[in-house]
Amino acid sequence: MSSRHGFETRQIHAGSTGPNPEKALNPPIFMTSTFTFDSIAAVDDVMSFRSDDYVYTRGNNPTLRLFENRMADLENGVGAVAFASGMAAISSTLFSLLKPGDSVVAHKTLYGSSHSVITTLLPRYGIRSIIADLTLPGELERKADKNTKLVYFETPANPDLSIIDIRQIAEQAAAIGAKVVVDNTFATPFLQRPLDLGAFAVVHSATKYLCGHGDVLGGVTVSKDMDYIHELKFGYMCEFGGTMSPFNAWLLLRGMKTLSLRMERHQENAKKVAKFLLQHPKVSKVLYPGLTDHPGHETAKKQMSGFGAMISFEVAGDLSATSHVVDAMKLPALAVSLGDCETLVELPAAMTHRGYDREHLAEFGLTESMIRLSIGLESVVDIIEDLGQALGRLS
Ligand SMILES: *Cc1c(COP(=O)(O)O)cnc(C)c1O
């Protein structure tokens, strides 16, 4: 599959390494832990990387390789490493790029577990974590120290949907000798390709939109640097052992065939829901990068081909009014996670971002009463009607 082909073609065909056994249209799932050799000479070839035959599924497996090849292609990278979960990808990638004495600058708003790896685990190994607001001009130069080797952020960020200018941060990071890693979970490669904007690596929770059906945990790291991908795979993924199951890789490949279609409908629905919330008298705040008054709207327009389908909002009143509205929603499921066919609702401060220090929520771009919606693929008329009846309960 050549890069001349459109995204929609590549999400279905890219990365294939040859015809499937028995001329099957779809690849089989290689549920095997180990692979056999014909001779000791063949063993030598593989162990010294002269051949890329398979040895053991923790190192590689044909179903995992197809998933990695496809992700590398969709993100315009050269290689990828699959992981058991988004957190396995994120933690292994962070540990692979930092050593004692280094510092990492991270954006203040991050997925809860990523925040805790950066602010709790890394410092235990002598790595300083510096929290910054990367939406502010000049912030990286102000906050970075002479040991800064990595800049880490999500854009759009979870859950306040703040938008960070990837190209600008990549240029500033290069000037101080630091690499940039972007968590592209919310946008997916269909809407945004950070490697083309100067990021060194992209990480994903494949559990979300890439899977799209809420039935798999998975993660992946993609880069344009093949030596790094090799090191991440054999020096970190294999050693920490957060290997993806071949069955999960197969389900991800299945889900990804419709990524563009799902994202288009997800965001078409989200745009309508955001507009509905914006004009609702009981809604005090709506955060959606597609709204012209969102502080990151212009940057999002520049670096994304669409605004995604995550919306955060607040209702007028206290936390009990918020809980009342969420409890009254019938269609959206009250659940963590996102990117599924089903519309999901959650309270980040009580759920996905519970690990954040209560006293300082605002400094991290969070409030206790922020409601996060992952807009699904149901009829948007039904989604809006249900949100309307829930908001209507507020006096
Ligand atoms: C869910 C999520 C993660 C963690 O991924 P898992 O697959 O749950 O380990 C990381 N980053 C973002 C932005 C997420 O939404």
Side-chain angles (χ1 to χ4, degrees), residues 42-63:
V43 170
D44 267 352
D45 280 349
V46 177
M47 297 295 179
S48 52
F49 298 109
R50 279 193 301 274
S51 130
D52 61 0
D53 281 355
Y54 302 96
V55 178
Y56 187 59
T57 285
R58 184 153 49 72
N60 222 329
N61 171 291
T63 321

Side-chain angles (χ1 to χ4, degrees), residues 98-104 127-128 130 144-150 176-178:
L98 292 162
K99 59 180 191 321
D102 291 347
S103 73
V104 52
I127 296 154
R128 181 174 175 229
I130 302 169
D145 64 21
K146 64 180 195 320
N147 301 317
T148 300
K149 293 290 161 15
L150 190 68
I176 59 167

Side-chain angles (χ1 to χ4, degrees), residues 78-91:
V78 299
V81 184
F83 289 90
S85 68
M87 284 320 302
I90 292 165
S91 57

Side-chain angles (χ1 to χ4, degrees), residues 85-88 90 111 114 154 158 183 185-186 205-208 217-218 338:
S85 68
M87 284 320 302
I90 292 165
Y111 179 70
S114 304
E154 303 164 3
N158 187 358
D183 181 334
T185 299
F186 273 29
S205 169
T207 313
K208 315 294 169 54
L217 278 180
L338 59 106

